[in-house]
């Protein structure tokens, strides 16, 4: 009789252990938090800066891939217009314009937070030209052949605000370094200068999901 008293709890514990094992066999446990979280977006921005001490307006377009919300790589293009008001003669006043494009990279800090800090850099090339400004009636004379090539490196700093998984705002500043310009009337030697402004990014910044346990269904 005493043996039966000890045998019954042992059998009960064995049954519970077997049932738990059967239940666990119906699930697969894993955690993909260490995997790279992918993202893509396109962005538009506007910046106010200066070239040769004069006001310059910049428009920016970007398309990029985002890795793990920590690093961006993609393509960026910038177009600018600078109100130089350079008087040539009584009838002609010149402003300055151009554009450049190239590789965009951007390391990101605090990527999992609502507010991030990033350090974008653009490395690219483009062209610049003087344009006629007749009482704000802009005229680019393509017959003048006054375009000049320019190489640009533009580092910056951004504060990023994640409105949602699909929309992000950025506010930042940057400094543009350029190669020398040889372009008559030889007023502007380069397009170096600060600029600051804001932009918006639209895309998917977090395509990944974290999963811990998945039920294995019989087929």
């Amino acid at each position: 009789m005493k043996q039966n008293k000890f045998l019954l709890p042992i059998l009960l514990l064995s049954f519970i252990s077997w049932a738990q094992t059967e239940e666990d066999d119906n699930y697969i446990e894993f955690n993909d938090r260490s995997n790279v979280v992918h993202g893509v977006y396109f962005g538009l921005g506007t910046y106010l800066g200066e070239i040769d001490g004069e006001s310059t307006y910049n428009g920016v377009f970007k398309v990029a891939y985002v890795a793990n919300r920590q690093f961006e790589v993609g393509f960026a293009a910038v177009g600018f217009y600078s109100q130089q008001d350079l008087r040539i003669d009584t009838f002609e006043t010149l402003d300055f314009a151009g554009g450049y494009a190239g590789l965009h990279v951007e390391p990101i800090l605090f990527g999992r937070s609502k507010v991030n800090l990033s350090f974008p850099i653009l490395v690219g090339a483009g062209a610049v030209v003087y344009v006629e400004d007749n009482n704000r009636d802009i005229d680019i004379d393509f017959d003048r052949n006054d375009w000049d090539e320019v190489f640009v490196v533009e580092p910056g700093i951004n504060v990023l605000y994640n409105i949602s998984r699909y929309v992000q705002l950025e506010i930042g500043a940057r400094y543009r370094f350029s190669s020398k310009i040889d372009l008559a009337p030889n007023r502007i030697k380069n397009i170096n200068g600060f600029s600051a402004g804001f932009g918006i990014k639209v895309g998917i910044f977090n395509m990944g999901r974290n999963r811990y346990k998945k039920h294995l269904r019989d087929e």
Side-chain angles (χ1 to χ4, degrees):
M1 189 71 179
K2 291 182 179 180
Q3 291 178 348
N4 291 337
K5 289 181 179 181
F6 288 104
L7 183 60
L8 184 60
I10 293 173
L11 291 175
L12 183 60
L13 290 174
S14 298
F15 175 77
I16 293 174
S17 176
W18 173 82
Q20 183 65 41
T21 302
E22 285 294 313
E23 181 181 353
D24 289 342
D25 287 342
N26 290 327
Y27 290 86
I28 179 171
E29 295 187 9
F30 59 93
N31 186 345
D32 63 358
R33 280 185 173 178
S34 61
N35 293 345
V36 175
V37 177
H38 305 283
V40 291
Y41 76 86
F42 73 89
L44 296 173
T46 180
Y47 288 80
L48 177 63
E50 65 174 25
I51 292 176
D52 200 34
E54 302 296 338
S55 296
T56 302
Y57 305 94
N58 304 270
V60 182
F61 170 78
K62 292 187 293 186
V63 57
Y65 161 76
V66 186
N68 216 29
R69 290 175 286 181
Q70 296 178 342
F71 186 78
E72 295 182 9
V73 60
F75 170 83
V78 179
F80 67 85
Y81 186 88
S82 183
Q83 293 182 336
Q84 294 291 318
D85 291 328
L86 179 59
R87 177 71 65 179
I88 300 300
D89 53 39
T90 305
F91 304 100
E92 185 177 22
T93 300
L94 297 182
D95 285 338
F96 195 66
Y100 51 92
L103 176 67
H104 161 77
V105 295
E106 187 169 355
I108 303 170
L109 301 180
F110 320 115
R112 299 185 183 276
S113 303
K114 194 76 172 178
V115 179
N116 318 139
L117 183 66
S118 67
F119 302 91
I121 183 169
L122 189 160
V123 180
V128 295
V129 64
Y130 284 104
V131 298
E132 294 184 16
D133 180 1
N134 300 314
N135 296 321
R136 297 296 179 253
D137 182 13
I138 308 302
D139 180 25
I140 301 178
D141 187 358
F142 291 98
D143 295 333
R144 292 164 52 126
N145 292 322
D146 279 343
W147 293 86
D148 196 17
E149 298 176 352
V150 64
F151 177 78
V152 174
V153 177
E154 190 173 44
I157 182 171
N158 282 336
V159 176
L160 310 174
Y161 179 73
N162 297 285
I163 296 178
S164 71
R165 183 181 173 189
Y166 308 102
V167 180
Q168 186 180 76
L169 295 180
E170 67 176 17
I171 300 174
R174 58 207 63 203
Y175 189 86
R176 178 175 50 239
F177 299 92
S178 82
S179 57
K180 291 183 178 180
I181 296 171
D182 183 13
L183 189 62
N186 297 318
R187 160 82 177 269
I188 298 175
K189 303 301 182 183
N190 56 56
I191 58 172
N192 295 358
F194 281 102
S195 61
F198 64 93
I200 185 171
K201 301 175 181 178
V202 179
I204 303 178
F205 297 93
N206 179 8
M207 292 182 181
R209 294 180 179 178
N210 289 326
R211 293 171 288 180
Y212 299 94
K213 183 180 286 190
K214 180 179 179 181
H215 188 264
L216 299 180
R217 298 180 179 178
D218 296 331
E219 296 182 357

